[in-house]
Amino acid sequence: MAEQIIARAHEHGIYVHESPELVSLLMQIDLDQRIPPQLYIAVAELLAWLYRLESGNQTASAPAFSALPANLEGSDIPSA
């Protein structure tokens, strides 16, 4: 289903940012769980980028996620 959503987005000219590393980390977090401190910077970069896009800056470059940890070990999140 996710691939169909992405394909439809591309068909309609909607930008889809792909970050397998971030997806892998976020999949370790339950939906209603707090964001672990290891991901604060990455989530802040993503939110800042979305804010720039919504403010009309269509040329805003996608976040680089420079601060992604290799894993979420040491947090309260059970490892996947």
Side-chain angles (χ1 to χ4, degrees):
M1 179 177 276
E3 283 122 6
Q4 292 174 349
I5 293 170
I6 291 170
R8 298 275 317 260
H10 286 294
E11 289 171 10
H12 294 280
I14 297 171
Y15 175 77
V16 176
H17 179 74
E18 296 182 29
S19 177
E21 300 88 0
L22 183 58
V23 169
S24 175
L25 292 168
L26 291 173
M27 286 179 61
Q28 297 177 41
I29 303 170
D30 289 333
L31 187 57
D32 292 328
Q33 194 170 11
R34 293 182 183 189
I35 297 168
Q38 296 94 321
L39 294 180
Y40 284 177
I41 293 174
V43 171
E45 289 175 357
L46 178 62
L47 292 174
W49 174 67
L50 290 171
Y51 176 79
R52 287 191 301 272
L53 285 177
E54 289 181 354
S55 295
N57 184 353
Q58 298 300 318
T59 61
S61 58
F65 301 118
S66 56
L68 283 179
N71 57 53
L72 296 176
E73 290 180 16
S75 67
D76 295 334
I77 300 169
S79 57

